[in-house]
């Protein structure tokens, strides 16, 4: 056990996963992770995040594990590489720290990238931890799944958890696999298919793969067995919501928590939310998770509680808000 | 008794160049350079070791013509992808082949590789226009030359000065080989071949990054027959130093 920050736990997990090189461009709030990796001789400087994305794509093409580290709007700098990795069918892992948006915003916690990370035809895998203990466990699971399915992946952590400290025993493992040019059967990687029929075939093959990936969705279901009211939240909001469920249960209100652990693929909501009287969504964004849920739960009452600007939802305010609506 | 004739093959189709119809226009330098690169790699016996990274634009399908491992990078990212590949495969020959428009799209990948002295070779074909975009103004289009997005010719006050790519890298200590060649004549192509061979050799001996800018012809977008396009390039070269710059 060691007293560590979220950033250090991620750094230690990256090292235990056997990563030898991470290219990055320092900026708050992720510099602490760079510093941890630099002390272990793993960090290499890039001139921009776009460059870091290209070098990381190259490392992955060589069959090496690596990570791109981004925060806030920087995610846009690496999306081209994510799209290419998707087309090449190679893993490419990203640590993305959610900070307040839009623009440079501030380095405080926010979850405004949900739609960006999970949107499009072929979104990357997106894992979101809710506690420090979960960081090594989920990081290992994410890397293992991304390498098994040969798809890019994003570890989406808000800046509150990234800076939180605790006594943690970091132990991460992911079975090594072969991909990229390390796979001797592959002669070249391209995303260009000028023949429409070839492009269509490629798309069908990716769609088939994505349909299979749906079965890998993870969530935490807490006291949902007999719940009449559900709270849905991810990341640190999920951590806060869990305490809230206990508070309501103490006052005989049958509430439960559904915490999506993977935001892509997303858990089957219809199955999980059947029979709920009301669903409360807690998020640090302008209703992005709520909007996603409304697509699947058309006739259900979904009530959002959103915070903005880098403010965490406070338990007392949440309790009052939900109690008034029950 | 009649003396037996000894027949020796002195020239043939390059073994590493795919025997297929390419999408390059007649007289285009990409066709010439795909042949030159494939010859150098075959002559150096590096086929198994070589991995090419190709930029977007006319060069994007190069993996289909060079019979060796290759990957297509996103705009401007080829030098970065090559850097990552080299970190993963330190004993391999890693080179990029990019147009000038692609390389300038994100110079951070080029300058980052140069800053760290990545042991890769960057080959940049500079034909002064964005070929695949129908001949638009490129960052290197000389003043006065007409393009689809500057139909009256490049004007300094309007479009700025052309960028000299090789000179961007001249002061960077991580670049151990820097050269500018051309493809406007057989003699010039021969010099380019020796530049590529030298850069590849230096990479395999583990010196820093190698960069070769190769001036090319784009007869289609110059609206000139190939021979006149070559003549136009010769005129442009009067203002651009060629040879080994470092």
């Amino acid at each position: 056990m060691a007293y560590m920050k979220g950033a250090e736990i991620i750094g230690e997990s990256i090292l235990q996963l056997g990563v030898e090189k991470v290219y990055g461009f320092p900026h708050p709030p992720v510099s602490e992770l760079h510093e941890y990796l630099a002390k272990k001789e793993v960090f290499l400087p890039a001139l921009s995040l776009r460059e870091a994305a290209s070098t990381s794509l190259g490392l992955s093409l060589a069959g090496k594990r690596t990570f791109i580290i981004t925060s806030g709007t920087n995610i846009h700098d690496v999306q081209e590489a994510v799209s290419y990795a998707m087309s090449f069918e190679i893993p490419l892992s990203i640590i993305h720290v959610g900070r307040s948006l839009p623009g440079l915003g501030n380095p405080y916690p926010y979850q405004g990238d949900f739609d960006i990370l999970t949107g499009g035809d072929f979104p990357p895998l997106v894992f979101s931890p809710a506690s420090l203990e979960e960081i090594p466990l989920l990081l290992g699971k994410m890397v293992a799944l991304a390498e098994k399915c040969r798809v890019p992946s994003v570890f989406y952590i808000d800046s509150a958890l990234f800076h939180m400290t605790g006594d943690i025993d970091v132990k991460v493992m992911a079975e090594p696999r072969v991909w990229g040019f390390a796979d001797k059967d592959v002669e070249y990687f391209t995303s260009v298919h000028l023949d429409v029929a070839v492009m269509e075939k490629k798309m069908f093959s990716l769609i088939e793969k994505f349909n299979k990936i749906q079965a890998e969705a993870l969530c935490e279901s807490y006291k949902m067995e007999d719940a009449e009211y559900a709270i849905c939240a991810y990341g640190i909001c999920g951590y806060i919501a869990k305490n809230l469920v206990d508070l309501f249960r103490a006052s005989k209100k049958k509430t439960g928590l559904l915490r999506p652990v993977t935001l892509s693929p997303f858990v089957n909501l219809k199955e999980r939310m059947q029979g709920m009287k009301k669903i409360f969504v807690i998020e640090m964004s302008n209703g992005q998770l709520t909007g996603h849920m409304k697509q699947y739960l058309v006739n259900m009452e979904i009530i959002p509680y959103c915070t903005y600007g880098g403010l965490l939802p406070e338990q007392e305010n949440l309790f009052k808000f939900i109690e008034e609506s029950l | 008794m009649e003396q037996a004739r000894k027949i020796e093959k002195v020239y043939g189709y390059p073994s590493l160049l795919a025997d297929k119809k390419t999408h390059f226009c007649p007289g285009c330098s990409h066709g010439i350079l795909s042949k030159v690169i494939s010859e150098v790699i075959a002559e150096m016996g590096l086929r198994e070791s070589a991995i090419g990274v190709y930029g977007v634009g006319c060069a994007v399908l190069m993996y289909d013509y060079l019979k060796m491992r290759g990957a297509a990078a996103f705009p401007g990212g080829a030098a970065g992808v090559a850097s990552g590949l080299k970190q993963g495969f330190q004993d391999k020959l890693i080179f990029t082949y990019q147009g000038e428009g692609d390389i300038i799209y994100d110079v951070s990948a080029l300058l980052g590789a140069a800053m760290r002295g990545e042991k890769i070779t960057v080959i940049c074909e500079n034909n002064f226009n964005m070929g695949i975009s129908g001949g638009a103004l490129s960052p290197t289009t000389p003043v006065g030359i007409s393009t689809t997005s500057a139909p009256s010719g490049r004007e300094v006050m309007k479009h700025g000065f052309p960028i000299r790519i090789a000179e961007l890298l001249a002061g960077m200590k991580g670049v151990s080989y820097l050269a500018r060649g051309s493809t406007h004549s057989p003699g010039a192509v021969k010099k380019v071949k020796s530049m590529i061979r030298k850069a590849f050799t230096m990479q395999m001996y583990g010196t820093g990054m190698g960069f070769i800018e190769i001036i090319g012809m784009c007869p289609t977008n110059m609206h000139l027959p190939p021979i006149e396009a070559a003549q136009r390039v010769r005129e442009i070269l009067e203002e651009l130093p060629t040879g080994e710059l470092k």
Side-chain angles (χ1 to χ4, degrees):
Chain A
M1 296 280 270
Y3 195 67
M4 297 170 96
K5 261 189 180 183
E8 292 166 333
I9 298 167
I10 294 173
E12 184 55 32
S13 304
I14 288 174
L15 296 175
Q16 289 189 18
L17 284 165
V19 172
E20 291 166 1
K21 312 272 180 210
V22 171
Y23 287 88
F25 187 85
H27 61 281
V30 302
S31 303
E32 286 164 73
L33 176 50
H34 291 159
E35 286 161 18
Y36 190 88
L37 296 171
K39 278 180 203 154
K40 311 289 177 180
E41 309 275 325
V42 166
F43 180 75
L44 287 170
L47 289 188
S48 70
L49 269 164
R50 209 165 175 281
E51 196 216 349
S54 61
T55 47
S56 305
L57 187 69
L59 272 168
S60 187
L61 277 169
K64 301 284 182 189
R65 273 183 192 155
T66 188
F67 282 85
I68 309 171
I69 301 161
T70 61
S71 76
T73 48
N74 299 145
I75 193 68
H76 301 289
D77 289 336
V78 307
Q79 278 180 325
E80 219 163 13
V82 169
S83 181
Y84 272 63
M86 192 66 77
S87 175
F88 291 170
E89 300 199 50
I90 56 170
L92 183 67
S93 300
I94 296 165
I95 304 289
H96 182 58
V97 182
R99 63 163 206 243
S100 194
L101 300 165
L104 189 58
N106 64 43
Y108 307 121
Y110 199 54
Q111 296 175 320
D113 302 315
F114 178 94
D115 284 346
I116 286 165
L117 296 175
T118 62
D121 278 357
F122 305 114
L125 303 174
V126 182
F127 279 61
S128 183
S131 65
L132 296 179
E133 293 80 3
E134 231 179 39
I135 291 174
L137 177 79
L138 286 188
L139 208 50
K141 268 186 189 294
M142 182 185 89
V143 166
L145 183 61
E147 290 174 2
K148 182 183 137 197
C149 303
R150 294 188 177 187
V151 289
S153 56
V154 180
F155 197 71
Y156 187 28
I157 180 168
D158 54 75
S159 66
L161 206 52
F162 191 75
H163 289 112
M164 202 180 273
T165 47
D167 269 324
I168 304 294
D169 190 12
V170 179
K171 279 202 180 102
V172 194
M173 265 218 19
E175 188 192 332
R177 288 178 187 269
V178 172
W179 68 84
F181 286 116
D183 180 347
K184 306 276 185 224
D185 295 337
V186 186
E187 189 74 354
Y188 62 81
F189 291 88
T190 183
S191 61
V192 185
H193 306 285
L194 295 180
D195 183 334
V196 178
V198 175
M199 189 74 204
E200 189 191 40
K201 198 176 160 196
K202 167 92 184 169
M203 293 286 279
F204 283 149
S205 129
L206 285 175
I207 289 166
E208 196 184 331
K209 179 157 87 171
F210 266 72
N211 289 340
K212 284 183 190 158
I213 288 175
Q214 287 308 310
E216 306 284 350
L218 295 174
C219 73
E220 183 191 4
S221 192
Y222 183 65
K223 299 189 179 173
M224 285 289 281
E225 303 76 23
D226 62 340
E228 293 173 354
Y229 302 94
I231 301 175
C232 187
Y234 70 94
I236 199 154
C237 293
Y239 183 85
I240 296 165
K242 202 168 177 178
N243 292 335
L244 213 56
V245 168
D246 289 336
L247 283 175
F248 279 113
R249 285 277 172 175
S251 54
K252 309 287 180 208
K253 300 280 185 348
K254 288 188 174 177
T255 52
L257 166 71
L258 182 79
R259 176 172 69 87
V261 172
T262 56
L263 308 180
S264 161
F266 204 91
V267 65
N268 186 327
L269 284 166
K270 275 189 185 164
E271 221 172 68
R272 303 272 176 172
M273 293 298 190
Q274 217 169 16
M276 293 295 155
K277 289 181 182 167
K278 282 179 185 176
I279 300 164
F280 297 91
V281 181
I282 306 170
E283 58 180 316
M284 294 184 288
S285 82
N286 195 19
Q288 293 185 35
L289 176 61
T290 310
H292 178 83
M293 294 181 67
K294 281 184 175 170
Q295 286 176 48
Y296 296 94
L297 306 171
V298 180
N299 297 318
M300 298 187 84
E301 192 174 354
I302 302 174
I303 303 165
Y305 183 94
C306 304
T307 56
Y308 307 92
L311 290 172
L312 284 170
E314 286 190 24
Q315 197 169 279
E316 201 182 321
N317 296 342
L318 273 168
F319 189 85
K320 267 189 212 159
F321 177 80
I322 295 176
E323 196 180 36
E324 281 166 15
S325 311
L326 285 179
Chain B
M1 194 178 146
E2 196 182 335
Q3 198 178 348
R5 278 188 180 176
K6 190 182 170 193
I7 298 173
E8 190 188 349
K9 187 176 178 182
V10 292
Y11 191 78
Y13 195 85
S15 61
L16 297 184
L17 189 64
D19 191 4
K20 59 164 71 167
K21 194 178 169 187
T22 73
H23 73 291
F24 300 133
C25 306
C28 165
S29 297
H30 286 304
I32 298 167
L33 290 170
S34 55
K35 174 172 167 280
V36 169
I37 293 168
S38 65
E39 280 177 351
V40 173
I41 291 172
E43 287 162 16
M44 292 176 77
L46 291 172
R47 194 264 173 214
E48 293 308 315
S49 159
I51 302 179
V53 184
Y54 310 113
V56 296
C58 295
V60 78
L61 295 180
M62 203 63 120
Y63 67 86
D64 209 18
Y65 308 140
L66 297 182
K67 288 159 66 178
M68 60 195 74
R69 286 182 288 175
F74 54 83
V81 172
S83 301
L85 271 167
K86 188 70 180 190
Q87 289 286 345
F89 292 133
Q90 300 202 352
D91 57 339
K92 300 260 189 275
L93 174 78
I94 311 289
F95 70 94
T96 76
Y97 184 82
Q98 308 166 255
E100 85 281 9
D102 176 70
I103 221 161
I104 296 288
Y105 184 87
D106 183 4
V107 280
S108 72
L110 177 71
L111 297 182
M115 173 184 81
R116 293 184 302 271
E118 299 277 5
K119 292 161 188 63
I120 59 170
T121 306
V122 176
I123 300 171
C124 170
E125 196 262 14
N126 176 6
N127 58 16
F128 309 114
N129 80 97
M130 308 281 209
I132 213 159
S133 307
L137 183 89
S138 98
T140 64
T141 306
V143 174
I145 298 278
S146 159
T147 53
T148 54
S149 53
S152 312
R154 185 179 200 125
E155 294 171 42
V156 169
M157 295 306 286
K158 204 167 165 184
H159 309 107
F161 294 97
I163 294 173
R164 291 186 169 191
I165 306 176
E167 280 76 0
L168 274 181
L169 299 172
M172 300 201 69
K173 290 187 176 174
V175 178
S176 57
Y177 183 74
L178 184 66
R180 181 183 283 121
S182 175
T183 51
H184 69 277
S185 69
V189 172
K190 216 171 159 188
K191 280 184 194 160
V192 161
K193 190 172 172 179
S194 68
M195 285 171 180
I196 294 173
R197 184 193 299 276
K198 190 166 178 182
F200 285 174
T201 305
M202 287 174 77
Q203 182 188 152
M204 295 313 277
Y205 277 100
T207 64
M209 186 175 126
F211 180 88
I212 309 166
E213 179 183 336
I214 304 167
I215 305 303
M217 288 90 67
C218 181
T220 300
N221 290 323
M222 284 173 158
H223 307 290
L224 293 170
I227 293 173
E228 287 175 40
Q231 182 54 38
R232 174 68 57 82
V233 164
R234 193 192 296 267
E235 288 160 19
I236 294 169
L237 282 174
E238 284 170 15
E239 288 194 17
L240 276 177
T242 52
E244 292 180 344
L245 309 177
K246 194 174 180 182

